[in-house]
């Protein structure tokens, strides 16, 4: 016997059955690469001009290396635009490195968005687990094509749908 379901309900059910793949945003990565290139050039030039003060030169050099590391992250992610960074589905969250954390193994799932005087400083997701490894999984998500509201809504939808689904033998 078939049970009637509205087309809206069927669409919602189909969305929750298919895992949601979250990719890096090309625009965010390009803007990031430009910003980090300019910052690297600025601090690199500052470092080279401060040859008379060794301590300040070392500090500016360390900042330059940090800027290079951020630039490397943007360029590396630009090369992986065709692969999903996150896959959120009924079984849990699968990360870019292949790690799957199931909904039952999560004790806390947080989207952290911090800013200083209106300037965003960090955006990341942090998942605390009951697993032996990793106890805590963190991933920077500033360049992902998803915001905090959508991420948390997806997690709520899939984790609730997963809890309601009968266990398969």
């Amino acid at each position: 016997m078939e049970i009637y379901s509205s087309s809206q309900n069927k669409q919602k059910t189909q969305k929750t059955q298919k895992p949601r793949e979250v990719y890096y945003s090309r625009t965010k990565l390009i803007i990031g690469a430009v910003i980090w290139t300019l910052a690297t050039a600025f601090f690199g030039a500052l470092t080279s001009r401060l040859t008379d003060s060794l301590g300040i030169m070392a500090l500016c050099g360390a900042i330059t290396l940090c800027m290079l590391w951020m630039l490397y992250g943007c360029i590396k992610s630009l090369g992986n635009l065709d692969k999903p960074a996150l896959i959120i589905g009924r079984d849990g969250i699968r990360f870019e490195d292949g790690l799957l954390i199931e909904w039952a193994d999560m004790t806390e799932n947080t989207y952290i968005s911090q800013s200083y005087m209106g300037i965003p400083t960090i955006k990341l997701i942090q998942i605390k687990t009951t697993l032996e490894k990793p106890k805590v999984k963190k991933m920077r998500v500033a360049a992902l094509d998803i915001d905090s509201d959508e991420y948390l809504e997806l997690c709520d939808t899939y984790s609730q749908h997963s809890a309601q689904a009968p266990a398969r033998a």
Side-chain angles (χ1 to χ4, degrees):
M1 179 164 70
E2 202 171 311
I3 299 174
Y4 174 76
S5 182
S6 69
S7 61
Q8 188 178 23
N9 235 5
K10 285 180 183 177
Q11 286 177 351
K12 186 176 180 183
T13 303
Q14 287 174 350
K15 281 184 180 179
T16 58
Q17 289 177 349
K18 184 180 176 189
R20 168 77 195 290
E21 295 177 341
V22 180
Y23 293 88
Y24 285 106
S25 167
R26 178 185 314 268
T27 305
K28 289 179 182 179
L29 288 172
I30 290 171
I31 290 170
V34 169
I35 289 171
W36 294 122
T37 299
L38 293 173
T40 301
F42 173 76
F43 281 103
L46 193 60
T47 302
S48 66
R49 291 177 186 232
L50 294 170
T51 56
D52 56 337
S53 179
L54 190 60
I56 296 175
M57 183 180 168
L59 176 66
C60 286
I63 293 172
T64 303
L65 288 176
C66 290
M67 300 298 146
L68 275 172
W69 181 253
M70 298 301 282
L71 176 61
Y72 170 75
C74 286
I75 293 171
K76 180 180 158 201
S77 296
L78 275 168
N80 294 329
L81 288 175
D82 58 336
K83 290 178 16 186
L86 284 176
I87 302 174
I88 304 171
R90 292 177 65 181
D91 52 347
I93 299 175
R94 185 172 304 276
F95 291 87
E96 195 172 16
D97 60 2
L99 173 68
L100 171 68
I101 299 179
E102 295 181 12
W103 298 115
D105 295 329
M106 294 182 201
T107 58
E108 185 179 315
N109 183 2
T110 312
Y111 189 103
I112 300 170
S113 179
Q114 294 179 345
S115 62
Y116 177 74
M117 297 177 67
I119 300 170
T121 55
I122 192 163
K123 288 184 180 183
L124 61 89
I125 58 171
Q126 175 178 292
I127 300 174
K128 294 182 181 176
T129 70
T130 58
L131 301 172
E132 191 68 31
K133 272 193 168 181
K135 287 286 187 192
V136 178
K137 175 70 174 175
K138 296 180 182 180
M139 179 180 177
R140 291 186 17 212
V141 294
L144 289 184
D145 200 15
I146 193 170
D147 64 355
S148 62
D149 292 337
E150 187 179 357
Y151 170 78
L152 294 172
E153 181 182 335
L154 282 170
C155 289
D156 282 346
T157 301
Y158 282 108
S159 64
Q160 289 173 1
H161 195 269
S162 172
Q164 293 172 357
R168 295 183 183 175

